[in-house]
Amino acid sequence: MSERLPGLGLGLDSDYTPAEPRPSAVSVLYRRADDGVEVFWVKRGKALRFAGGFYAFPGGKLDAADAEVPVRGASGEEAALRSAAARELFEETGVLVAEGAEALTPERLGELRRALVAGERGWGDVLRAEGLALRAEDFRAAGRWVTPPSLPVRFDTRFYLVEMPAHARAEWWPGELAEGAWVKPAEALARWGDGSALLHPPALHAFQVLGSFTDDADARARMTTPPYCPGYVAQRIEFQQGVRGVALETPTLPPASHTNAYVLGNGELLIVDPGASDVKQYAKLLSLLSGLKAEGFRPVAVVLTHHHGDHTGGARAVKERLGIPLWCHARTADRLDFPVERLLEDGEVLELAGDVPQRWRVLHTPGHARGHVCLVDERSRAAVVGDMVAGVGTIVIDPPEGNMREYLAQLTRLRDWPVSTLYPAHGSPIPEGPAKLQEYLDHRALRESLILQAVPPEGASLAQVVATAYADTPPLMHPVAERSALATLEKLMDEGRVREEALQYFRV
């Protein structure tokens, strides 16, 4: 993404309207072990629009038909949500929690599950035909979480604590889910700590509670009262230990509406890209930092990935409010109208003391902006990547500040570093970073091929090239596409494959 481009009329021109949360239900399936409990977790497929690549619990959105299934001991919405939880649990794990299910053979359960997943039979039909009944007591309320308003897809999710029936067997089937397995809470938290298992706040809180399991009632009471969660919306989002995100509404290019500010560290803290100039927005970041400071954390600097306004809008206010310095690359500093206390250079390491120390290596990654930098954690290989990639929308390469050749070279450099999870400025974190970077390289190569094909030997204007090469892009976005197309044409001219004369482009 980029800041709003001059004259295009694109960006944040009115108050952001959050998406309406969809009702959904999740089952936290556990079984008792000698030293506590084990929990069945799943890894969501990376292609899923919501929480792709994250670890979570079996669940999904409420279907209209779920309300038609009776649940003994519950009525109305409470019954419908438990019905949804039971259905999703069966679809995703093969565990059918219903009265009478113990009489079904594993083979019969497999047949019913396949028919349900394929849409060949309805949920109510499966239960009625097998003489099964759902009971509210099997799905015990264990909290409610609402997706933060910054995300384009939102859910109002009820969590249920479900003990594994003695007769059942959990089995993961490939499909929308990439993994499924039993895990001890301590192991899940250790993997969250080293960045190999990303967790959203509801899953993190559940594992923290279940790590000290004594009984069902105590666990549910603690799961139902998470800290920092007014109105069921998490105010602290720590995707992996020491990497916290705060989405701030900014004047950026659609479909993005927010810029992610990141708070890095487990003692000493770096604040990356406080991009909102609106005090109501950066106050959310300051509120988080105030709470962390009360717990003994210490902010040491504001760091900017680059100079665009949707990354720097609140930088001066935040650094002055906190009384800390600003760090960025020299080519970012010379584009700012406020002081910079430290110039970052390629290869240097920013060390953060704390319970788990961090070392963030600075990589100078020009292409989108001349002073663009990324930060890579030496322990987990997590990378705060600014506008190198986006979790929502696209990246604009806008000459003369943008340079396509440099941008592609830096994508390749990050891919080969290698990095792990990518933390972009816009959209959700991206697990399996090298695959996403290769996807970007492949996409740019394809687009370059289309642009070259759109340049005839007899010549064409930039607008004509874009109309042909970006035929798959809505015309409204063609002015934005022109900037990246121009960057690609400049690359092709450097390579001697295109020439320009009087604002016309000719294939050589």
Side-chain angles (χ1 to χ4, degrees):
M1 303 300 293
S2 175
E3 62 186 343
R4 184 166 34 188
L5 299 178
L8 295 184
L10 297 171
L12 186 68
D13 295 314
S14 59
D15 290 339
Y16 171 70
T17 302
E20 190 68 24
R22 308 174 189 176
S24 65
V26 161
S27 295
V28 182
L29 181 69
Y30 75 95
R31 65 185 184 188
R32 298 175 191 266
D34 292 338
D35 54 351
V37 296
E38 294 179 327
V39 182
F40 197 85
W41 69 349
V42 296
K43 184 178 182 182
R44 295 174 57 80
K46 65 179 182 180
L48 293 178
R49 188 180 177 199
F50 182 83
F54 275 70
Y55 283 81
F57 305 119
K61 65 182 179 64
L62 177 69
D63 288 345
D66 292 325
E68 300 171 4
V69 177
V71 178
R72 189 184 307 158
S75 60
E77 184 182 47
E78 288 296 330
L81 288 165
R82 282 174 167 82
S83 172
R87 174 181 53 76
E88 290 283 348
L89 182 63
F90 185 43
E91 290 179 351
E92 295 188 357
T93 71
V95 175
L96 182 53
V97 180
E99 186 178 65
E102 65 276 4
L104 299 177
T105 66
E107 292 74 22
R108 182 57 178 160
L109 284 168
E111 292 171 1
L112 295 172
R113 183 184 179 189
R114 276 187 286 271
L116 183 62
V117 170
E120 297 168 359
R121 298 188 65 178
W123 176 227
D125 175 51
V126 166
L127 297 174
R128 283 190 299 271
E130 302 298 324
L132 306 176
L134 298 182
R135 301 174 297 195
E137 66 194 61
D138 293 328
F139 292 83
R140 301 189 175 187
R144 179 180 181 183
W145 296 78
V146 177
T147 309
S150 60
L151 294 181
V153 178
R154 303 180 66 210
F155 295 96
D156 182 348
T157 305
R158 308 300 173 92
F159 279 67
Y160 298 98
L161 195 59
V162 181
E163 185 164 9
M164 178 73 166
H167 61 84
R169 182 183 67 179
E171 183 180 12
W172 159 70
W173 286 356
E176 288 189 349
L177 302 178
E179 295 177 23
W182 290 101
V183 65
K184 293 183 176 180
E187 179 187 346
L189 292 171
R191 292 193 54 192
W192 167 78
D194 66 24
S196 62
L198 302 183
L199 299 175
H200 280 300
L204 175 60
H205 177 63
F207 279 122
Q208 289 171 334
V209 168
L210 294 173
S212 56
F213 181 91
T214 55
D215 59 57
D216 181 279
D218 174 72
R220 288 189 292 111
R222 289 188 290 140
M223 287 176 67
T224 305
T225 54
Y228 318 113
C229 199
Y232 310 111
V233 179
Q235 300 301 300
R236 288 196 182 185
I237 301 175
E238 194 167 1
F239 301 108
Q240 66 179 72
Q241 188 174 21
V243 181
R244 306 164 194 83
V246 183
L248 305 178
E249 195 174 346
T250 60
T252 190
L253 287 177
S257 55
H258 294 71
T259 298
N260 297 322
Y262 291 103
V263 178
L264 311 177
N266 300 296
E268 294 183 326
L269 303 175
L270 295 179
I271 298 95
V272 182
D273 283 357
S277 58
D278 183 350
V279 65
K280 293 180 181 179
Q281 292 299 312
Y282 67 70
K284 294 187 291 186
L285 176 60
L286 292 173
S287 176
L288 169 64
L289 290 165
S290 177
L292 292 173
K293 287 172 67 178
E295 296 169 21
F297 293 81
R298 185 172 70 87
V300 296
V302 171
V303 174
L304 300 179
T305 60
H306 61 296
H307 72 280
H308 287 151
D310 58 335
H311 295 252
T312 64
R316 184 171 192 167
V318 169
K319 89 184 204 69
E320 290 178 352
R321 293 282 188 94
L322 297 174
I324 57 177
L326 177 69
W327 302 348
C328 63
H329 191 272
R331 295 288 73 76
T332 296
D334 61 18
R335 288 157 172 76
L336 300 177
D337 60 0
F338 48 90
V340 171
E341 284 73 28
R342 177 176 172 181
L343 300 180
L344 301 178
E345 297 183 359
D346 185 68
E348 70 174 294
V349 174
L350 309 180
E351 298 192 33
L352 298 177
D355 292 341
V356 180
Q358 290 183 341
R359 288 169 52 87
W360 291 90
R361 186 169 295 275
V362 177
L363 301 184
H364 180 214
T365 52
H368 175 71
R370 294 178 186 178
H372 196 287
V373 296
C374 297
L375 303 179
V376 181
D377 177 36
E378 290 192 345
R379 179 168 172 259
S380 69
R381 299 281 182 169
V384 178
V385 295
D387 277 352
M388 289 300 294
V389 301
V392 59
T394 187
I395 298 297
V396 177
I397 309 302
D398 183 20
E401 183 70 32
N403 182 289
M404 187 64 74
R405 180 190 292 275
E406 289 185 335
Y407 174 67
L408 297 176
Q410 297 306 324
L411 286 177
T412 302
R413 182 188 186 195
L414 284 172
R415 181 200 64 190
D416 296 343
W417 191 257
V419 293
S420 57
T421 300
L422 306 179
Y423 289 96
H426 307 284
S428 298
I430 303 168
E432 302 179 36
K436 174 58 69 171
L437 292 162
Q438 185 59 53
E439 179 184 314
Y440 265 57
L441 287 164
D442 292 343
H443 172 75
R444 293 291 181 176
L446 175 60
R447 188 66 73 185
E448 178 180 298
S449 174
L450 293 173
I451 289 172
L452 184 59
Q453 293 174 29
V455 178
E458 62 273 17
S461 67
L462 177 59
Q464 289 171 326
V465 170
V466 168
T468 301
Y470 287 82
D472 59 343
T473 302
L476 176 66
M477 296 302 295
H478 280 194
V480 177
E482 279 192 9
R483 307 311 301 164
S484 288
L486 177 59
T488 300
L489 288 168
E490 289 181 349
K491 174 179 179 291
L492 292 170
M493 287 189 285
D494 289 343
E495 295 169 352
R497 294 194 282 170
V498 169
R499 67 180 179 87
E500 182 265 337
E501 181 179 331
L503 300 181
Q504 293 285 305
Y505 297 90
F506 302 82
R507 193 189 316 166
V508 175

